[in-house]
Amino acid sequence: MLVVGNWKMNGDLARNEVLLADVCMGLPSDVDVAVCVPFPYLAQVAERSGEGALQLGAQDVSQFAEGAYTGEVSAAMLRDFRVRYAIVGHSERRALFGETDRVVAVKAKAALSAGLMPIVCIGETLEEREAGVVESVLARQLDAVLAEITPVEWGGVVLAYEPVWAIGTGRTATPEQVQEVLGFVRAWLRQKGVNATAVKILYGGSVKPESAVNLFGLPDCDGGLIGGASLDARSFLGICEAGLVASRLKLD
Ligand code: PGA
């Protein structure tokens, strides 16, 4: 199980300190937990997490390796701060910053090449769901990634299914809706010659401690990408605990 917090553009040094202290104190073992934080706070989290179990992630990464790209942060720079994960293609970046399927895929490749694990976000909008085109939208987003990343390299990729209509809305997708999509994604991977069981697939979108066990317990769900609830230590730890419960249930 992998539980990843996405702080988005929230926090300051003092608030982070409190949140990190509380989170680090309560982390369950046997669940991989990471937080993806704004770039300026990577060093703070790196220091705080020390030898501890909390892993470090960024919320974006440049598609370029080095050079005259003002404002960009490369995957190698992130590696310098012991960053392990980089979210790419979050729906907010796709919608607000014009990131295309191809840009997202090239960013995922850049992350992989530098030794980071990209967390590639995919998901449909409400209009797309209502139009019945969920699978074709996801296939299009995944095909773009497949054009950059070989089936063997997919072992280093994490996928996050985040229906856009469920992000930050309090409207969690039902376990049935989530499993239907995750099952489709797993089958798509298999069909493309990827070792599908080696790829972690997360669900994201208004996950709360109360909904987490049912979601994480789904056959094809390997954890969650958590936005709002990751800013509150109790909620985030509750969700991490749900990851532990779900993984034990799956082992039984
Ligand atoms: P949310 O955000 O949990 O606040 O819905 C999830 C995300 O955007 O990754």
Side-chain angles (χ1 to χ4, degrees):
M1 278 286 154
L2 172 64
V3 177
V4 181
N6 172 13
W7 287 4
K8 310 195 180 185
M9 200 171 74
N10 292 294
D12 57 44
L13 281 174
R15 276 192 289 160
N16 299 349
E17 205 54 37
V18 176
L19 177 58
L20 288 166
D22 290 347
V23 167
C24 288
M25 218 156 44
L27 278 182
S29 50
D30 296 336
V31 181
D32 284 335
V33 181
V35 283
C36 295
V37 306
F39 293 131
Y41 300 128
L42 286 171
Q44 184 187 18
V45 183
E47 195 176 306
R48 227 319 142 192
S49 61
E51 316 83 57
L54 188 64
Q55 295 171 356
L56 189 51
Q59 297 172 12
D60 188 21
V61 64
S62 179
Q63 61 190 296
F64 305 108
E66 185 171 32
Y69 302 104
T70 303
E72 292 284 277
V73 174
S74 74
M77 292 171 185
L78 295 175
R79 286 287 296 171
D80 265 350
F81 285 89
R82 303 211 322 270
V83 171
R84 173 124 196 244
Y85 299 98
I87 297 174
V88 297
H90 189 280
S91 67
E92 286 150 17
R93 298 222 51 91
R94 292 178 190 258
L96 303 173
F97 303 98
E99 291 191 8
T100 61
D101 292 335
R102 192 179 127 68
V103 165
V104 172
V106 176
K107 286 184 169 191
K109 173 73 179 180
L112 263 184
S113 306
L116 300 176
M117 288 191 92
I119 300 174
V120 182
C121 298
I122 55 175
E124 82 286 358
T125 62
L126 187 58
E127 297 75 60
E128 288 163 341
R129 176 160 282 271
E130 283 171 349
V133 294
V134 174
E135 292 188 358
S136 62
V137 168
L138 294 177
R140 190 199 73 221
Q141 294 171 341
L142 289 166
D143 278 331
V145 180
L146 190 68
E148 299 296 328
I149 291 175
T150 66
V152 172
E153 290 173 323
W154 275 79
V157 174
V158 176
L159 288 174
Y161 168 55
E162 298 206 307
V164 178
W165 48 272
I167 296 177
T169 57
R171 191 175 159 191
T172 321
T174 65
E176 294 71 30
Q177 286 172 322
V178 175
Q179 176 52 36
E180 196 181 4
V181 171
L182 300 188
F184 165 78
V185 172
R186 194 82 70 188
W188 181 93
L189 290 168
R190 217 171 282 124
Q191 195 198 335
K192 302 295 176 182
V194 174
N195 178 2
T197 49
V199 180
K200 283 202 164 114
I201 313 180
L202 313 181
Y203 167 76
S206 298
V207 177
K208 300 278 179 294
E210 310 80 61
S211 56
V213 175
N214 280 343
L215 291 163
F216 296 171
L218 294 169
D220 285 299
C221 188
D222 303 308
L225 182 55
I226 318 301
S230 72
L231 297 172
D232 177 80
R234 267 183 65 162
S235 298
F236 189 57
L237 288 173
I239 293 169
C240 296
E241 204 60 49
L244 187 62
V245 173
S247 66
R248 289 198 175 137
L249 286 175
K250 284 184 184 181
L251 284 176
D252 284 346

